[in-house]
């Protein structure tokens, strides 16, 4: 596999959302560290592109909103044909396709094949024959389930690019002052995020609202964040005004969010990109985790999570995900409550040595 280290112009395909890209950055770092003379170009979706400048591992990117992915918009067949021509013109000498085990990588593999990239590597359950030059038989989730970061790193290790089994990715923090303000900047805030890309991951409004109220009663400085201030988030945050509450829902860029998380005391979030940003920046993180994609649970040392069930009507129709859900016994998961969240949050603060300091600052 040593020939991979001789590559000078590599295409990496990862077509998911921002959080997936942050986890994938562990593998990107290994490629960049062990192949310093190789230009890394990332094929990524519009939803993931804003985080690319802060990965510190990618030299260039191409936007593509694949029609086989669950994204906010999807490119047409004509766009796909133009993309293949563009990739061919760039004369990449290698391509690595990263994916979640519940995704079939065949369409992405076909892009690389049609673009005449000479070396092509990916996980796949079925034998791809000549579509891949380096095939890694995918044992997930039928025989094992690994964390996504481990899965990505082991693909790179298989190609002889790295010998590491685990490595936590980091993110570059933008310089300069905040473009947003919080009510009491002298106190490190607790960031709370309820914004998710899938409705099935939304926690009950009454639980979301009660959690904010309880945190304020305990004198925590609370900052609410979210991409768009939709009806659901407005309902979650419709509580009496407080001098310790700052609502920044719909008001932060990725730069703002990175700076906020970096300076936060802790983060409480649903399982979305904010969770992965917080883990990457090594902030104490509690994730309210809908029972989906168990391989994406929080992965930093100072993190914890609470699993809560997804209604049967909202559960994935992907048969691979259904198989994993049955294996994990989702019927035994208790409903999410404010009391459970607070208990877990206080335990996290105690473990990270922050509880006494924060409670003292707050009151």
């Amino acid at each position: 596999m040593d020939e991979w280290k001789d590559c000078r112009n590599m295409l990496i395909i990862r077509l998911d959302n921002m959080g997936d890209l942050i986890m994938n950055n562990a593998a990107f770092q290994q490629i960049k560290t062990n192949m310093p003379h190789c230009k890394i170009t990332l094929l990524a979706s519009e939803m993931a592109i804003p985080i690319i400048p802060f990965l510190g591992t990618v030299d260039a990117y191409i936007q593509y909103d694949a029609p086989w992915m669950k994204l906010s918009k999807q490119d047409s067949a004509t766009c796909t044909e133009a993309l293949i021509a563009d990739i061919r013109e760039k004369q990449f000498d290698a391509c690595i396709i990263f994916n979640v085990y519940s995704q079939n990588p065949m369409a992405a593999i076909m892009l690389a094949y049609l673009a005449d990239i000479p070396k092509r590597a990916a996980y796949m359950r079925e034998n791809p024959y000549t579509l891949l030059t380096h095939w890694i038989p995918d044992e997930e989730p039928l025989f094992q389930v690994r964390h996504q970061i481990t899965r990505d790193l082991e693909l790179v290790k298989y190609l002889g690019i790295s010998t590491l089994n685990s490595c936590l990715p980091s993110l570059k923090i933008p310089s300069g002052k905040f473009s947003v303000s919080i009510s009491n900047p002298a106190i490190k805030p607790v960031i709370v995020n309820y914004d998710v890309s899938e409705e099935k991951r939304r926690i009950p409004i009454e639980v979301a609202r009660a959690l904010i109220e309880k945190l304020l009663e305990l004198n925590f400085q609370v900052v609410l964040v979210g991409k768009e201030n939709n009806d659901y988030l407005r309902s979650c945050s419709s509580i009496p005004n407080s001098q310790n509450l700052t609502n920044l829902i719909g008001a932060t860029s990725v730069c703002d969010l990175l700076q906020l998380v970096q300076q936060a005391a802790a983060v409480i979030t649903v399982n979305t990109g904010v969770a992965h940003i917080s883990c990457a920046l090594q902030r104490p993180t509690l994730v309210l985790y809908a029972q989906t994609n168990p391989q994406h649970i929080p992965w930093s040392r100072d993190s914890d999570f609470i699993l809560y069930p997804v209604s049967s009507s909202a559960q994935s129709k992907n048969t691979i995900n259904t198989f994993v859900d049955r294996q994990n016994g989702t019927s035994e998961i208790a409903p999410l409550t404010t009391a459970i969240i607070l208990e877990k949050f206080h335990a996290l603060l105690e473990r990270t040595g922050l509880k006494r300091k924060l409670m003292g600052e707050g009151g």
Side-chain angles (χ1 to χ4, degrees):
M1 299 293 180
D2 288 344
E3 70 271 13
W4 280 82
K5 286 192 175 181
D6 296 330
C7 296
R8 292 293 181 268
N9 188 22
M10 180 183 291
L11 178 69
I12 293 176
I13 299 179
R14 187 64 197 255
L15 298 167
D16 304 79
N17 292 317
M18 187 182 298
D20 303 285
L21 210 55
I22 294 170
M23 286 187 287
N24 217 155
N25 200 34
F28 297 169
Q29 283 181 329
Q30 289 307 304
I31 296 170
K32 198 65 180 173
T33 298
N34 291 286
M35 302 171 63
H37 303 297
C38 183
K39 179 181 178 181
I40 305 298
T41 300
L42 179 64
L43 185 65
S45 72
E46 180 185 40
M47 295 176 71
I49 282 173
I51 200 66
I52 291 177
F54 309 105
L55 297 177
T57 53
V58 174
D59 300 304
Y61 70 84
I62 304 169
Q63 180 180 325
Y64 180 59
D65 296 299
W68 59 89
M69 302 296 291
K70 189 174 183 179
L71 301 169
S72 59
K73 72 175 189 178
Q74 297 173 327
D75 283 326
S76 64
T78 301
C79 290
T80 303
E81 291 173 352
L83 170 72
I84 293 170
D86 182 42
I87 293 174
R88 186 183 295 113
E89 287 180 4
K90 288 180 168 51
Q91 297 185 325
F92 294 105
D93 48 24
C95 176
I96 302 177
I97 298 104
F98 290 97
N99 71 310
V100 176
Y101 67 65
S102 58
Q103 299 167 343
N104 188 321
M106 180 60 84
I109 292 169
M110 184 64 76
L111 285 180
Y113 176 78
L114 293 176
D116 295 326
I117 301 177
K119 285 194 280 288
R120 305 173 300 277
Y123 288 109
M124 192 165 177
R125 292 183 192 88
E126 303 84 359
N127 189 338
Y129 298 100
T130 57
L131 289 179
L132 285 178
T133 58
H134 295 76
W135 170 40
I136 303 91
D138 198 348
E139 296 184 346
E140 293 189 82
L142 302 179
F143 303 105
Q144 64 175 332
V145 173
R146 298 167 292 180
H147 196 281
Q148 187 65 46
I149 293 175
T150 302
R151 174 183 172 89
D152 296 339
L153 283 167
E154 289 187 358
L155 193 161
V156 173
K157 182 181 178 182
Y158 176 88
L159 299 175
I161 295 172
S162 170
T163 58
L164 292 182
N165 289 318
S166 62
C167 178
L168 295 181
S170 60
L171 295 172
K172 295 169 64 178
I173 301 298
S175 58
K177 296 182 179 180
F178 279 146
S179 62
V180 295
S181 59
I182 59 178
S183 58
N184 192 347
I187 301 175
K188 287 184 176 294
V190 174
I191 293 176
V192 177
N193 171 61
Y194 297 136
D195 192 14
V196 286
S197 57
E198 294 181 293
E199 287 192 18
K200 66 183 177 182
R201 299 184 189 180
R202 288 178 174 176
I203 69 172
I205 290 172
E206 61 275 11
V207 174
R209 190 183 297 129
L211 177 61
I212 298 170
E213 291 174 344
K214 285 291 184 181
L215 290 171
L216 292 173
E217 286 176 16
L218 293 167
N219 291 320
F220 286 106
Q221 167 91 306
V222 177
V223 175
L224 305 180
V225 298
K227 187 176 180 180
E228 296 178 359
N229 198 6
N230 52 42
D231 290 341
Y232 167 76
L233 292 178
R234 277 189 287 271
S235 296
C236 290
S237 58
S238 60
I239 61 175
N241 290 331
S242 167
Q243 63 179 0
N244 284 341
L245 176 65
T246 304
N247 189 340
L248 295 179
I249 297 173
T252 57
S253 64
V254 172
C255 289
D256 298 327
L257 187 59
L258 287 167
Q259 290 179 316
L260 278 169
V261 172
Q262 174 69 14
Q263 297 187 29
V267 175
I268 301 176
T269 178
V270 288
N271 53 316
T272 188
V274 173
H276 301 299
I277 287 173
S278 186
C279 284
L281 298 178
Q282 298 295 308
R283 307 313 303 147
T285 309
L286 177 62
V287 181
L288 312 179
Y289 200 98
Q291 182 53 31
T292 58
N293 304 106
Q295 75 279 20
H296 293 168
I297 60 173
W299 38 267
S300 70
R301 179 185 58 197
D302 295 331
S303 64
D304 204 347
F305 64 98
I306 302 171
L307 287 176
Y308 65 92
V310 174
S311 66
S312 57
S313 61
Q315 289 175 4
S316 174
K317 294 178 176 58
N318 184 314
T319 54
I320 290 294
N321 285 337
T322 302
F323 170 82
V324 174
D325 287 344
R326 288 175 179 170
Q327 295 290 102
N328 290 338
T330 55
S331 60
E332 301 174 2
I333 300 173
L336 189 67
T337 67
T338 305
I340 290 174
I341 298 171
L342 286 173
E343 181 182 354
K344 277 275 192 178
F345 185 57
H346 283 299
L348 176 64
L349 295 182
E350 193 77 57
R351 195 176 80 224
T352 56
L354 282 170
K355 184 174 182 179
R356 184 177 302 172
K357 181 181 178 182
L358 280 177
M359 299 300 284
E361 286 179 343

